[in-house]
Amino acid sequence: GKAAAASEAGRGAARRGERRRQDRRSATMDRQNRVGSKFGGGGVLPAQQAGADRRDRLRKLAMETIDLNKDPYLFRNHLGSLECKLCGTIHPNEGNYLAHTQGRRHQTNLSRRANREAKDRSLPQADARRTVAVRKTIKIGRPGYKVIKTSDPDTSQRGLVFELVYPEIESGMQPRHRIMSAFEQRVGPKDRRYQYILFAGEPYETVGFRIPNRPLDKRPGRFTTEWDRDSKTFRLQLFFASEGAKPSPSPKGSIKVRATRPR
């Protein structure tokens, strides 16, 4: 029994020694003369390394032939990286971006965009988007206006009443109004403590009033408009919501109203 065990151990050691010799021979194998390789080429490259080498050649070729300043899809962001607006990708340098432009994803998106543009051009002109001509009216000045501060004794809500006179307003037209954020207007500084209310009626100039940026009470009877066709007077009354309704920044002190001329 001991002799058989020793013989089996000897055969295992011999097999391991043979495997080590085969590994050493494969490490020093002549890869130049393998099947499918060129003489002097150093052997067949793996698929991953061959792909990387191909992309590097395309990148160098693109850098020599493509002018990035004329690429409509290239965008340089504030971090110094390059973005492809067509594919939505980010690249650290020009070489990486050029390699992307030669890749499958960018080329596929280019072909899709070209097909979509060709399809749009083939549509009949009748289906094209209609353009509305901007109406040009000679302005005759600002309307007369009056602003009255008011308050409700029952609810202690503060409010404003705007009265504007349009004696020469166009026939059949009624003045319009609009609430505008301070970040929409382009007349004064963008102060989040205020908002604007605008009034327009042709051929008069549009006038605006700066009011506190507080929530308005839009319940029935609290925000009302009235147009008197006989006296050509437009009247708007509004109330601010109660202090506990919705917290919002508001200027300290009394209500300040200033007429402005929005652009």
Side-chain angles (χ1 to χ4, degrees):
K2 294 182 179 179
S7 176
E8 182 64 25
R11 286 195 295 271
R15 287 195 295 270
R16 288 192 295 272
E18 181 64 23
R19 283 198 297 271
R20 285 195 293 270
R21 287 192 293 272
Q22 290 178 359
D23 293 340
R24 286 196 294 270
R25 284 197 298 271
S26 63
T28 59
M29 183 182 297
D30 183 10
R31 299 181 181 275
Q32 176 173 307
N33 297 317
R34 295 174 66 186
V35 176
S37 64
K38 276 189 189 177
F39 179 77
V44 180
L45 287 176
Q48 183 177 3
Q49 188 174 354
D53 186 64
R54 174 181 173 276
R55 288 192 296 271
D56 185 63
R57 291 198 306 271
L58 292 174
R59 178 182 62 83
K60 292 180 180 178
L61 178 63
M63 291 183 68
E64 296 176 357
T65 57
I66 297 177
D67 186 5
L68 289 179
N69 295 326
K70 299 180 180 179
D71 191 337
Y73 305 113
L74 174 63
F75 173 72
R76 300 178 186 270
N77 59 26
H78 65 286
L79 300 176
S81 303
L82 285 74
E83 298 183 14
C84 178
K85 295 188 291 185
L86 180 64
C87 306
T89 55
I90 301 177
H91 307 275
N93 50 54
E94 295 182 355
N96 187 273
Y97 173 79
L98 289 171
H100 162 74
T101 60
Q102 307 301 316
R104 180 185 302 174
R105 179 177 180 179
H106 190 83
Q107 296 297 325
T108 301
N109 289 336
L110 282 177
S111 62
R112 287 177 180 173
R113 186 180 183 90
N115 293 336
R116 185 168 61 251
E117 291 178 352
K119 184 178 180 180
D120 293 341
R121 286 194 298 267
S122 64
L123 294 176
Q125 295 297 327
D127 295 339
R129 182 178 298 177
R130 297 180 180 179
T131 58
V132 179
V134 179
R135 182 181 180 185
K136 296 182 179 180
T137 306
I138 300 177
K139 304 297 182 179
I140 61 174
R142 300 182 184 180
Y145 62 86
K146 181 169 60 174
V147 182
I148 305 172
K149 298 179 184 179
T150 184
S151 63
D152 190 336
D154 297 332
T155 61
S156 300
Q157 290 178 274
R158 293 189 296 174
L160 294 170
V161 178
F162 299 89
E163 291 186 358
L164 297 96
V165 182
Y166 295 88
E168 299 182 18
I169 192 171
E170 293 185 1
S171 177
M173 179 174 288
Q174 177 177 337
R176 296 166 296 167
H177 71 278
R178 179 197 172 197
I179 304 296
M180 175 184 288
S181 167
F183 298 95
E184 296 180 72
Q185 55 87 25
R186 294 177 292 176
V187 177
K190 294 175 172 51
D191 192 340
R192 67 174 63 248
R193 299 178 302 166
Y194 299 99
Q195 59 186 333
Y196 290 77
I197 181 168
L198 308 182
F199 297 92
E202 299 292 347
Y204 291 91
E205 297 178 1
T206 301
V207 294
F209 300 89
R210 191 178 71 174
I211 62 177
N213 185 19
R214 294 173 50 193
L216 300 178
D217 192 346
K218 297 295 185 67
R219 293 178 299 172
R222 312 303 291 175
F223 192 100
T224 59
T225 60
E226 180 184 355
W227 170 237
D228 189 342
R229 298 183 181 275
D230 297 330
S231 61
K232 306 294 184 183
T233 303
F234 183 77
R235 187 175 185 271
L236 183 144
Q237 179 176 343
L238 61 86
F239 284 95
F240 296 101
S242 301
E243 295 291 339
K246 290 184 180 179
S248 62
S250 60
K252 297 180 180 180
S254 60
I255 299 177
K256 296 181 180 179
V257 180
R258 187 180 71 178
T260 59
R261 178 184 176 185
R263 296 177 183 175

